Amino acid sequence: MTEPPFLYLDDAGYRGEPLRSAYALGACYNLYHEYPVDLPLDPETAGRRFRPQRDRAEGWLRRDWSVEDRVDLVAAMGWLGRDGHRRDHRALVRRYCALPGPAWREREAMLAEHAGAGNDSARTALWRMRAVERDLLGCRTACFLAFDAARAAQLARNGYVLGFLSLDEVRAYLFDLAREVSLSFASWQDYGRDFVVGRAFWAGAHEAEPWDPLMRRLDTEIDSPWRRILFGFPEDETSRGVTSADTRDGPCWTLETAPAAAAS
């Protein structure tokens, strides 16, 4: 593939270090799609530099997420916060790890037969099954959060670009997200590895994907947001702390706020 131009940071596109860190969560997706990681603070007056970003954001949201308006966008962002793909991927790994030998061989043979006949769903399922068997990319102990987090950060960014979200809404959503990520990973590299395994599981393939070289660029290039921004969420910042009803299934971040307590 042609190497895309590297991400750049424009300090005018952020309100302080915490929001810079939150935007950096989407850096892997932004690099892949050749977007800058930042965005102008005032899109209405950003001129020529902003208009191409708006056109690309609109096309990407419509093509990959079927998002046409704010309602669609909020629904997609809420799904990533509640479930994403991480819940199904965790459950799948647990199920395969618990599968007894005879049942494993029977299912593997069935999937291989269907995959050989050209069934793409069976081919994907077979790849995932064998990935768990070999613990490919460390999938047995993966958090599977980073793939959902990176996409959520990009949805928030593009929602702002299109005027579907205010900057305050983006900030609140990304702060919820960044707080959960900082509690789940130790570094940008740790986050990047989890992104790769989550993306591979989603695709049902890994070897032909371009993510490994992109991760190396984020780790090594001097202008990378992962080199310029410290990982972690500042202790003096606060998020709304939105969590799912069943906290065992992981974090939840959302545009919705908790209802106010009834007056006593």
Side-chain angles (χ1 to χ4, degrees):
M1 60 176 284
T2 302
E3 189 173 83
F6 202 69
L7 297 168
Y8 59 83
L9 287 168
D10 181 349
D11 290 344
Y14 299 91
R15 290 183 177 175
E17 193 69 21
L19 191 54
R20 290 164 59 92
S21 300
Y23 274 129
L25 295 171
C28 35
Y29 247 70
N30 288 324
L31 179 57
Y32 180 71
H33 287 286
E34 302 182 27
Y35 287 172
V37 71
D38 68 308
L39 51 84
L41 187 61
D42 184 0
E44 295 303 322
T45 60
R48 292 183 179 179
R49 177 186 161 195
F50 185 75
R51 285 195 293 270
Q53 292 193 46
R54 183 181 180 90
D55 293 342
R56 294 180 64 194
E58 186 174 33
W60 178 77
L61 287 174
R62 180 179 294 118
R63 182 187 67 249
D64 290 4
W65 289 89
S66 300
V67 167
E68 300 283 349
D69 53 27
R70 175 185 167 89
V71 172
D72 293 339
L73 178 67
V74 170
M77 293 168 70
W79 174 76
L80 282 170
R82 291 187 306 273
D83 299 306
H85 284 97
R86 61 191 180 278
R87 180 174 294 188
D88 287 344
H89 288 168
R90 290 171 185 161
L92 181 66
V93 169
R94 290 195 296 266
R95 187 162 63 248
Y96 280 151
C97 286
L99 202 61
W104 180 287
R105 290 189 291 273
E106 180 180 349
R107 177 165 178 78
E108 185 178 29
M110 179 196 69
L111 290 174
E113 179 181 354
H114 288 296
N119 186 311
D120 289 338
S121 295
R123 185 179 299 111
T124 297
L126 181 62
W127 183 93
R128 291 172 180 156
M129 188 175 191
R130 289 174 173 170
V132 173
E133 181 181 30
R134 297 176 299 179
D135 194 22
L136 185 67
L137 304 172
C139 63
R140 292 184 186 178
T141 56
C143 180
F144 288 114
L145 172 63
F147 180 51
D148 288 333
R151 292 180 298 160
Q154 196 185 39
L155 280 177
R157 177 192 184 280
N158 286 338
Y160 174 66
V161 165
L162 292 176
F164 295 159
L165 305 173
S166 70
L167 190 60
D168 286 341
E169 287 178 310
V170 170
R171 179 186 176 95
Y173 182 85
L174 289 177
F175 273 24
D176 284 342
L177 167 57
R179 173 60 60 84
E180 299 294 351
V181 167
S182 69
L183 293 173
S184 301
F185 303 103
S187 65
W188 287 120
Q189 291 71 32
D190 192 21
Y191 175 79
R193 284 190 293 269
D194 193 73
F195 174 88
V196 171
V197 67
R199 178 57 170 74
F201 246 66
W202 173 83
H206 172 66
E207 288 78 8
E209 290 292 318
W211 297 104
D212 286 341
L214 292 185
M215 292 301 119
R216 285 194 293 273
R217 296 185 68 200
L218 284 167
D219 287 343
T220 59
E221 294 205 18
I222 193 169
D223 288 332
S224 167
W226 291 4
R227 293 285 302 276
R228 295 180 60 185
I229 298 173
L230 292 177
F231 184 82
F233 197 83
E235 290 298 325
D236 58 347
E237 288 291 336
T238 58
S239 69
R240 294 168 301 159
V242 181
T243 56
S244 61
D246 185 354
T247 57
R248 295 170 302 174
D249 287 326
C252 176
W253 51 90
T254 176
L255 286 173
E256 300 168 357
T257 58
S264 56

